[in-house]
Amino acid sequence: MQACFVTDGNINSVWQDKLSKIGKCELTVFGFNGLGLVSYKKELNGETEYFQDLARLSKQTDGVVICACDTDTYGVFRHSIAVSDKGRILGVTDMAHSLDDSEFVSGGSYRVYETSAGRIGVIVSEDLFFPESARVLALCDADLIVCIFKKLENHMPQIMLRALAFANGVAMTLCAKNYSCIADIKGKITFASGQDVVKTEIKIERDYRLISSRRRGLYKDFTTI
């Protein structure tokens, strides 16, 4: 799969200046820089056209465009990811977990999108730290899992990406401010870049493992003496 990662610049400026020179890609992934803050109230009132711009871009690229954003639902803020495919918005997925005292609250559940580039699952930011996130998407037969962070503060996201790609047998990508990478089903980083716009190839493969677990005697009853 031909993919393009955009780690800096909004969707309109990047398309005019750089993406048009790269050419068509089956998948284009933007970080949180792509849309910024999106107000559902303003979108519904026609004051802004962020999602419409995203749909237009996917039509121009003739492929799938995935972009993270902060959403404002009448004063309730969430980290989200919007997915469009060939001129149509397929949906918006919110981060499922809220950490510490963040002003951003948890939203809807996980989702695998049926796209022209295959079945793509999305993980929003710190949801990557919860193993069930990738597990659910893999069990829903995702061909690829895309995770988008705002900014990487340490190496933990890359570690989790590699571990979950290996554990679930599905390729995973990570896009953040000034960084993008791909982990294959063996947990190996096959691509990493600090460029603001970069084009690469993603190998789509699945690894279904037969797993058996010890049940009898694994847990013991605890009694009070």
Side-chain angles (χ1 to χ4, degrees), residues 48 54-56 88 104 148 189:
T48 60
L54 189 67
R56 290 194 190 102
R88 186 166 60 97
F104 294 92
I148 305 179
I189 295 294

Side-chain angles (χ1 to χ4, degrees), residues 64-222:
V64 180
V65 179
I66 298 177
C67 185
C69 59
D70 293 329
T71 52
D72 176 6
T73 309
Y74 295 88
V76 178
F77 295 92
R78 296 183 175 93
H79 296 312
S80 309
I81 290 179
V83 180
S84 61
D85 186 10
K86 296 186 175 183
R88 186 166 60 97
I89 293 293
L90 300 185
V92 179
T93 296
D94 300 322
M95 190 165 74
H97 301 86
S98 180
L99 302 180
D100 302 323
D101 296 324
S102 173
E103 65 174 316
F104 294 92
V105 302
S106 57
S109 58
Y110 309 109
R111 180 174 175 182
V112 173
Y113 292 88
E114 292 277 2
T115 76
S116 59
R119 295 175 59 84
I120 300 177
V122 295
I123 292 179
V124 188
S125 199
E126 282 84 0
D127 278 348
L128 182 66
F129 297 149
F130 298 84
E132 65 269 22
S133 301
R135 185 63 175 167
V136 167
L137 297 174
L139 289 174
C140 290
D141 207 27
D143 299 314
L144 173 70
I145 297 177
V146 175
C147 177
I148 305 179
F149 260 76
K150 273 200 170 183
K151 183 178 180 181
L152 302 185
E153 303 292 345
N154 51 49
H155 294 294
M156 189 55 65
Q158 294 98 315
I159 293 172
M160 290 299 298
L161 190 83
R162 297 176 63 183
L164 294 177
F166 171 78
N168 295 293
V170 57
M172 297 182 65
T173 71
L174 177 66
C175 183
K177 178 70 173 179
N178 300 127
Y179 181 80
S180 59
C181 72
I182 300 170
D184 66 10
I185 61 174
K186 295 181 180 179
K188 179 181 178 182
I189 295 294
T190 58
F191 166 84
S193 173
Q195 298 182 51
D196 55 352
V197 179
V198 61
K199 188 175 182 179
T200 187
E201 181 80 19
I202 301 177
K203 184 179 181 180
I204 301 299
E205 55 182 342
R206 294 296 307 274
D207 185 10
Y208 298 94
R209 297 184 175 91
L210 295 177
I211 301 174
S212 61
S213 301
R214 176 185 173 186
R215 298 296 181 184
R216 186 184 180 96
L218 184 61
Y219 301 101
K220 295 182 178 180
D221 292 332
F222 290 90

